[in-house]
Amino acid sequence: MKQLYKILLALSIVTATVATIDCTFGLVIGRLLYSSRQTKFSYAIHSLENPSLVIFGSSRAENHYDTPFIRDSLDIDAFNFGEPGRGLTYHDAAIRVYLQRHSPKVILLDLLADDLSGQINNRVKPLYPYIDIFPEIKTVAYATDPHNKYLLKSHLLRYNSDIFDQAKKLRHPYNPKSKGYTPLRRTSSYNDLEEKEYNTREYVVDDIAKRSLIDIIEVCKLHGVKLIVVYSPEYAKRNYQIPITTICDSLGVQVINDLDFRLNMPASEYFYDNRHLNKFGAREYTRHIINKLKRDSIL
Amino acid sequence: MSFTSLNFLVFLLAVIVINYCLSRNTRWIFLLAASYYFYLNWQPIYAVLLLLTTVSTYICSLLMTGTGRVQKYKKTICTIGCIFPLAILGLFKYHNFVTTSISNALSSLNLHVDFPQLNLLMPIGISFYTFTAVGYLIDIYRNKYKPERNFFILSLFIGFFAQIASGPIPRGQQLIPQLRKPDNLGYDNVIGGLRSLLWGYFMKLCVANRVAIYVDAIYGNMNHHNGTTLLLASVLYSIQIYCDFAGYSLIAIGAARMLGINLIENFKRPYFATSIKDFWSRWHISLSTWFRDYVYIPLGGNRVSRSRNVFNLIVTFLISGLWHGSAWNFILWGGMHGVGQSVEKLTGNRKRKRAVSGMYPLLVQVIIVFVIINFLWVFFRLETVNDITTFFSKVLTEFGTPFIHISLASGGLSIIILLMKDFIDEFYPSLTLLNSHNIIVSNLATGFLLALIFLLGVFDSTSFIYFQF
């Protein structure tokens, strides 16, 4: 009995220590992140601006849509919500949160042809710190992994793996003048820039990613926002039917396939690597897509 | 059911609670059922192989103790008993390697022969439970202890869930009595086991998994990185493989201890070794001692001429390399360890004693040994001659700023914590917070450790490097 008492005492100390650290950590860091508006996400959500065009997507979105150029030259207010390495689950959560507070005219969702593979489903993680503030994130987080319902009670787990990234954001706050756009300056030294060719689809469609795409479409419809799915330029050939297109077609969502957008110059002049345009390429592509949207009377 | 999955934690908790409620004499029945449930969760069909190995080991061990004419055939029985599980292991692990190597050798002589390749998934833990069974049979043959007459206890010995996937490789005289009647579940076992378990998780989730992200990215794109980055990746790989495997062992040891069973220590701060021999007395101890007892000593050990001793060492390490993987790079890696130990033996390096060295010379020696071990891990990690050549040519010629990513920060912090703990455990064991005699200090430290795992752990990656062996 004495041993059992000792075990229970030890477990109580361990639990109390973890609980104290967890609560303190969550309160302090959460308050800093939320109130400081130093990240792109918190800035965009709290901003009083209401751009008519918002771009969601991964690094390709962030690097391909020159939003300051759109504002200065084309006189359209636009915001680039692109975040590197994010997949459909992240876009689902971010769009839900954004549309609860803003009402853009058009959302451009920039996707990769293989975004339905679900490889990066778990990358909704950077939004976990905001889970108590924006209940929309909960819906997506729980759908991604049912265990999240219990695991995300812990503040520490919400910041898991991300603490240094978040700390970096606090140290280097988001610059509102960029309108969310990050240009890539030159050609990647890590890339040989040979045009790749994909003749077959090398992945199975992931149910969670597919559900997220359908949810995004439904949420946009619910809020009366025009959603356009875009495959922005890639220095590669995809000779197969992209499943995202099939889903979008069946649900009446416009798809712009610009994967083979090319300029009359060597690819290394305007591509950073196979999947990203550099600053020059982004400017030209932005001009191209905005003209297209204007021509179609979407903007 | 991986040790890092939530399912395993639920399973373990249930096993601990039920085990606690049972009487000490009947716990083995429950533990056997739990172990087979655990194994069936991996690949149900391969539980048949585990069972076959157990049955053959059981029969051969009992036959060896027979009297009269049976004694004449004791050696034959032991050989058959060992060959059977080793043949299964060979089929699953080495068949394709051997046939491909023969085919390649023949094609270099302009003889083209295509051997059939087996497309089989390797059963989890087959190398470990095969060695457990073989070691047990040889011990019985050597009359080290009497064979276990209860088939179910022997089944539990070979298939105990905590150790089946990646060791430690147990010895009969050490584990079987404990399985028959586990230790009392007092404070020391439950909380001590919990601490081992948590430190194992820290090593695996916060260090190994974290560092693996960087290492895999760099080794996967070697052509795009400079030599300094590759060198950094190689050092991080040394840390990764240590934390991956030692982490697994500690989880196994912790889980078993919480059930009242003490498994043997498998890692003892190997990167504080002062010689290659010392490294192998600290790295994967259960495997090293297995090779010592069942390969090195039967070959003659060190009670032979110097040249024969060198031969014995190199052969033992070549086999050890082959055990680690069915590829030439593993054999080369093992062989180089054997050569290293032989050189130490011939130069008398092993006789240097820590006591006379002093702290700074000792640390220099530790660093030198680490550099050698780190160099050898490159052969372990890179499978092709082309990759190995690229690695060394870049390390020797392409200097530059190493590629550093923000994701390394969490790994860096975890590595610092790991180094501090290992340093204190090695040189100032009385200062270890986790094992402090003060119940408040030790449990506060445990709480901090758990919080660190929550914050820094990488939970997405579930596999352990040593599972492939």
mmCIF file of all heavy atoms in Angstrom, chain A residues 271-294:
data_model
loop_
_atom_site.group_PDB
_atom_site.id
_atom_site.type_symbol
_atom_site.label_atom_id
_atom_site.label_comp_id
_atom_site.label_asym_id
_atom_site.label_seq_id
_atom_site.Cartn_x
_atom_site.Cartn_y
_atom_site.Cartn_z
ATOM 1 N N PHE A 271 12.080 30.712 -64.471
ATOM 2 C CA PHE A 271 11.759 29.690 -63.464
ATOM 3 C C PHE A 271 12.852 29.689 -62.399
ATOM 4 O O PHE A 271 14.039 29.801 -62.718
ATOM 5 C CB PHE A 271 11.684 28.298 -64.098
ATOM 6 C CG PHE A 271 10.312 27.926 -64.574
ATOM 7 C CD1 PHE A 271 9.957 28.056 -65.914
ATOM 8 C CD2 PHE A 271 9.364 27.464 -63.681
ATOM 9 C CE1 PHE A 271 8.684 27.716 -66.353
ATOM 10 C CE2 PHE A 271 8.087 27.119 -64.104
ATOM 11 C CZ PHE A 271 7.743 27.243 -65.455
ATOM 12 N N TYR A 272 12.450 29.571 -61.146
ATOM 13 C CA TYR A 272 13.418 29.429 -60.047
ATOM 14 C C TYR A 272 13.873 27.970 -59.991
ATOM 15 O O TYR A 272 15.048 27.655 -59.867
ATOM 16 C CB TYR A 272 12.754 29.844 -58.741
ATOM 17 C CG TYR A 272 13.587 29.629 -57.504
ATOM 18 C CD1 TYR A 272 14.590 30.531 -57.155
ATOM 19 C CD2 TYR A 272 13.376 28.531 -56.681
ATOM 20 C CE1 TYR A 272 15.356 30.340 -56.022
ATOM 21 C CE2 TYR A 272 14.142 28.330 -55.543
ATOM 22 C CZ TYR A 272 15.132 29.236 -55.224
ATOM 23 O OH TYR A 272 15.890 29.034 -54.108
ATOM 24 N N ASP A 273 12.903 27.079 -60.049
ATOM 25 C CA ASP A 273 13.171 25.641 -60.170
ATOM 26 C C ASP A 273 11.992 25.045 -60.924
ATOM 27 O O ASP A 273 11.164 25.787 -61.451
ATOM 28 C CB ASP A 273 13.401 24.985 -58.800
ATOM 29 C CG ASP A 273 12.229 25.135 -57.855
ATOM 30 O OD1 ASP A 273 11.104 25.367 -58.330
ATOM 31 O OD2 ASP A 273 12.426 25.018 -56.633
ATOM 32 N N ASN A 274 11.882 23.741 -60.964
ATOM 33 C CA ASN A 274 10.827 23.132 -61.778
ATOM 34 C C ASN A 274 9.415 23.527 -61.352
ATOM 35 O O ASN A 274 8.502 23.525 -62.158
ATOM 36 C CB ASN A 274 10.946 21.605 -61.734
ATOM 37 C CG ASN A 274 12.099 21.123 -62.556
ATOM 38 O OD1 ASN A 274 13.244 21.241 -62.130
ATOM 39 N ND2 ASN A 274 11.848 20.637 -63.761
ATOM 40 N N ARG A 275 9.288 23.858 -60.078
ATOM 41 C CA ARG A 275 7.931 24.110 -59.583
ATOM 42 C C ARG A 275 7.650 25.568 -59.245
ATOM 43 O O ARG A 275 6.535 25.911 -58.855
ATOM 44 C CB ARG A 275 7.666 23.247 -58.342
ATOM 45 C CG ARG A 275 7.421 21.808 -58.711
ATOM 46 C CD ARG A 275 6.836 21.033 -57.571
ATOM 47 N NE ARG A 275 6.194 19.822 -58.059
ATOM 48 C CZ ARG A 275 5.648 18.911 -57.281
ATOM 49 N NH1 ARG A 275 5.647 19.078 -55.985
ATOM 50 N NH2 ARG A 275 5.075 17.851 -57.784
ATOM 51 N N HIS A 276 8.679 26.403 -59.317
ATOM 52 C CA HIS A 276 8.474 27.795 -58.899
ATOM 53 C C HIS A 276 8.992 28.785 -59.931
ATOM 54 O O HIS A 276 10.097 28.604 -60.469
ATOM 55 C CB HIS A 276 9.181 28.044 -57.564
ATOM 56 C CG HIS A 276 8.693 27.173 -56.455
ATOM 57 N ND1 HIS A 276 9.228 25.938 -56.196
ATOM 58 C CD2 HIS A 276 7.706 27.357 -55.544
ATOM 59 C CE1 HIS A 276 8.588 25.391 -55.167
ATOM 60 N NE2 HIS A 276 7.655 26.226 -54.759
ATOM 61 N N LEU A 277 8.222 29.827 -60.151
ATOM 62 C CA LEU A 277 8.665 30.923 -61.011
ATOM 63 C C LEU A 277 9.515 31.874 -60.189
ATOM 64 O O LEU A 277 9.284 32.030 -58.985
ATOM 65 C CB LEU A 277 7.447 31.697 -61.539
ATOM 66 C CG LEU A 277 6.516 30.968 -62.507
ATOM 67 C CD1 LEU A 277 5.207 31.732 -62.644
ATOM 68 C CD2 LEU A 277 7.183 30.788 -63.862
ATOM 69 N N ASN A 278 10.470 32.532 -60.840
ATOM 70 C CA ASN A 278 11.211 33.558 -60.100
ATOM 71 C C ASN A 278 10.452 34.885 -60.176
ATOM 72 O O ASN A 278 9.322 34.936 -60.694
ATOM 73 C CB ASN A 278 12.652 33.652 -60.602
ATOM 74 C CG ASN A 278 12.743 34.116 -62.040
ATOM 75 O OD1 ASN A 278 11.776 34.670 -62.586
ATOM 76 N ND2 ASN A 278 13.884 33.892 -62.660
ATOM 77 N N LYS A 279 11.052 35.925 -59.675
ATOM 78 C CA LYS A 279 10.381 37.213 -59.570
ATOM 79 C C LYS A 279 9.869 37.689 -60.936
ATOM 80 O O LYS A 279 8.731 38.136 -61.065
ATOM 81 C CB LYS A 279 11.390 38.226 -59.002
ATOM 82 C CG LYS A 279 10.816 39.559 -58.655
ATOM 83 C CD LYS A 279 11.924 40.466 -58.172
ATOM 84 C CE LYS A 279 11.393 41.854 -57.872
ATOM 85 N NZ LYS A 279 12.462 42.745 -57.448
ATOM 86 N N PHE A 280 10.721 37.550 -61.944
ATOM 87 C CA PHE A 280 10.348 37.993 -63.284
ATOM 88 C C PHE A 280 9.184 37.150 -63.821
ATOM 89 O O PHE A 280 8.190 37.677 -64.331
ATOM 90 C CB PHE A 280 11.571 37.897 -64.209
ATOM 91 C CG PHE A 280 11.262 38.245 -65.625
ATOM 92 C CD1 PHE A 280 11.053 39.569 -66.003
ATOM 93 C CD2 PHE A 280 11.156 37.252 -66.592
ATOM 94 C CE1 PHE A 280 10.743 39.880 -67.314
ATOM 95 C CE2 PHE A 280 10.848 37.560 -67.898
ATOM 96 C CZ PHE A 280 10.640 38.877 -68.268
ATOM 97 N N GLY A 281 9.334 35.840 -63.676
ATOM 98 C CA GLY A 281 8.287 34.939 -64.150
ATOM 99 C C GLY A 281 6.970 35.206 -63.436
ATOM 100 O O GLY A 281 5.898 35.175 -64.052
ATOM 101 N N ALA A 282 7.057 35.462 -62.122
ATOM 102 C CA ALA A 282 5.848 35.717 -61.336
ATOM 103 C C ALA A 282 5.141 36.983 -61.836
ATOM 104 O O ALA A 282 3.907 37.008 -61.953
ATOM 105 C CB ALA A 282 6.207 35.854 -59.859
ATOM 106 N N ARG A 283 5.934 38.017 -62.129
ATOM 107 C CA ARG A 283 5.340 39.270 -62.625
ATOM 108 C C ARG A 283 4.577 39.025 -63.937
ATOM 109 O O ARG A 283 3.439 39.454 -64.104
ATOM 110 C CB ARG A 283 6.469 40.292 -62.832
ATOM 111 C CG ARG A 283 6.081 41.624 -63.426
ATOM 112 C CD ARG A 283 5.256 42.473 -62.477
ATOM 113 N NE ARG A 283 5.870 42.724 -61.197
ATOM 114 C CZ ARG A 283 6.637 43.779 -60.880
ATOM 115 N NH1 ARG A 283 6.910 44.680 -61.796
ATOM 116 N NH2 ARG A 283 7.099 43.945 -59.660
ATOM 117 N N GLU A 284 5.225 38.274 -64.834
ATOM 118 C CA GLU A 284 4.601 38.000 -66.130
ATOM 119 C C GLU A 284 3.366 37.115 -65.968
ATOM 120 O O GLU A 284 2.355 37.323 -66.624
ATOM 121 C CB GLU A 284 5.610 37.313 -67.067
ATOM 122 C CG GLU A 284 6.746 38.216 -67.509
ATOM 123 C CD GLU A 284 6.245 39.523 -68.112
ATOM 124 O OE1 GLU A 284 5.373 39.483 -68.996
ATOM 125 O OE2 GLU A 284 6.713 40.600 -67.676
ATOM 126 N N TYR A 285 3.501 36.156 -65.080
ATOM 127 C CA TYR A 285 2.356 35.259 -64.897
ATOM 128 C C TYR A 285 1.188 35.993 -64.239
ATOM 129 O O TYR A 285 0.029 35.796 -64.603
ATOM 130 C CB TYR A 285 2.753 34.030 -64.065
ATOM 131 C CG TYR A 285 1.576 33.116 -63.871
ATOM 132 C CD1 TYR A 285 0.998 32.489 -64.973
ATOM 133 C CD2 TYR A 285 0.989 32.947 -62.621
ATOM 134 C CE1 TYR A 285 -0.127 31.700 -64.831
ATOM 135 C CE2 TYR A 285 -0.132 32.161 -62.479
ATOM 136 C CZ TYR A 285 -0.688 31.540 -63.585
ATOM 137 O OH TYR A 285 -1.822 30.765 -63.451
ATOM 138 N N THR A 286 1.497 36.869 -63.288
ATOM 139 C CA THR A 286 0.443 37.631 -62.618
ATOM 140 C C THR A 286 -0.311 38.476 -63.653
ATOM 141 O O THR A 286 -1.549 38.519 -63.656
ATOM 142 C CB THR A 286 1.057 38.543 -61.528
ATOM 143 O OG1 THR A 286 1.825 37.725 -60.656
ATOM 144 C CG2 THR A 286 0.002 39.256 -60.731
ATOM 145 N N ARG A 287 0.482 39.109 -64.520
ATOM 146 C CA ARG A 287 -0.141 39.925 -65.572
ATOM 147 C C ARG A 287 -1.077 39.042 -66.424
ATOM 148 O O ARG A 287 -2.221 39.416 -66.697
ATOM 149 C CB ARG A 287 0.969 40.514 -66.454
ATOM 150 C CG ARG A 287 0.517 41.744 -67.259
ATOM 151 C CD ARG A 287 1.521 42.071 -68.337
ATOM 152 N NE ARG A 287 2.889 42.220 -67.871
ATOM 153 C CZ ARG A 287 3.429 43.364 -67.432
ATOM 154 N NH1 ARG A 287 2.695 44.451 -67.392
ATOM 155 N NH2 ARG A 287 4.686 43.416 -67.053
ATOM 156 N N HIS A 288 -0.576 37.862 -66.752
ATOM 157 C CA HIS A 288 -1.336 36.937 -67.600
ATOM 158 C C HIS A 288 -2.661 36.523 -66.935
ATOM 159 O O HIS A 288 -3.720 36.602 -67.557
ATOM 160 C CB HIS A 288 -0.455 35.706 -67.870
ATOM 161 C CG HIS A 288 -1.182 34.509 -68.387
ATOM 162 N ND1 HIS A 288 -1.488 34.345 -69.714
ATOM 163 C CD2 HIS A 288 -1.677 33.415 -67.740
ATOM 164 C CE1 HIS A 288 -2.135 33.197 -69.868
ATOM 165 N NE2 HIS A 288 -2.256 32.614 -68.683
ATOM 166 N N ILE A 289 -2.568 36.124 -65.670
ATOM 167 C CA ILE A 289 -3.780 35.591 -65.018
ATOM 168 C C ILE A 289 -4.805 36.698 -64.751
ATOM 169 O O ILE A 289 -6.007 36.494 -64.910
ATOM 170 C CB ILE A 289 -3.436 34.788 -63.724
ATOM 171 C CG1 ILE A 289 -4.661 34.083 -63.142
ATOM 172 C CG2 ILE A 289 -2.846 35.639 -62.628
ATOM 173 C CD1 ILE A 289 -4.789 32.684 -63.583
ATOM 174 N N ILE A 290 -4.308 37.887 -64.379
ATOM 175 C CA ILE A 290 -5.250 38.978 -64.096
ATOM 176 C C ILE A 290 -5.946 39.419 -65.387
ATOM 177 O O ILE A 290 -7.164 39.645 -65.399
ATOM 178 C CB ILE A 290 -4.527 40.161 -63.409
ATOM 179 C CG1 ILE A 290 -4.004 39.728 -62.032
ATOM 180 C CG2 ILE A 290 -5.438 41.370 -63.272
ATOM 181 C CD1 ILE A 290 -5.066 39.291 -61.035
ATOM 182 N N ASN A 291 -5.176 39.485 -66.476
ATOM 183 C CA ASN A 291 -5.798 39.828 -67.758
ATOM 184 C C ASN A 291 -6.868 38.814 -68.125
ATOM 185 O O ASN A 291 -7.928 39.165 -68.624
ATOM 186 C CB ASN A 291 -4.736 39.891 -68.864
ATOM 187 C CG ASN A 291 -3.930 41.169 -68.755
ATOM 188 O OD1 ASN A 291 -4.393 42.144 -68.148
ATOM 189 N ND2 ASN A 291 -2.731 41.175 -69.312
ATOM 190 N N LYS A 292 -6.557 37.576 -67.852
ATOM 191 C CA LYS A 292 -7.511 36.513 -68.160
ATOM 192 C C LYS A 292 -8.798 36.685 -67.340
ATOM 193 O O LYS A 292 -9.902 36.577 -67.865
ATOM 194 C CB LYS A 292 -6.858 35.162 -67.847
ATOM 195 C CG LYS A 292 -7.646 33.972 -68.299
ATOM 196 C CD LYS A 292 -6.792 32.725 -68.190
ATOM 197 C CE LYS A 292 -7.485 31.558 -68.832
ATOM 198 N NZ LYS A 292 -6.597 30.530 -69.284
ATOM 199 N N LEU A 293 -8.622 36.983 -66.051
ATOM 200 C CA LEU A 293 -9.796 37.160 -65.182
ATOM 201 C C LEU A 293 -10.599 38.379 -65.607
ATOM 202 O O LEU A 293 -11.826 38.380 -65.544
ATOM 203 C CB LEU A 293 -9.355 37.296 -63.712
ATOM 204 C CG LEU A 293 -8.675 36.069 -63.087
ATOM 205 C CD1 LEU A 293 -8.253 36.355 -61.652
ATOM 206 C CD2 LEU A 293 -9.605 34.860 -63.116
ATOM 207 N N LYS A 294 -9.880 39.430 -66.029
ATOM 208 C CA LYS A 294 -10.585 40.642 -66.482
ATOM 209 C C LYS A 294 -11.335 40.369 -67.785
ATOM 210 O O LYS A 294 -12.479 40.793 -67.941
ATOM 211 C CB LYS A 294 -9.554 41.766 -66.704
ATOM 212 C CG LYS A 294 -9.186 42.513 -65.430
ATOM 213 C CD LYS A 294 -8.346 43.699 -65.777
ATOM 214 C CE LYS A 294 -8.354 44.712 -64.640
ATOM 215 N NZ LYS A 294 -7.461 45.831 -64.949
#
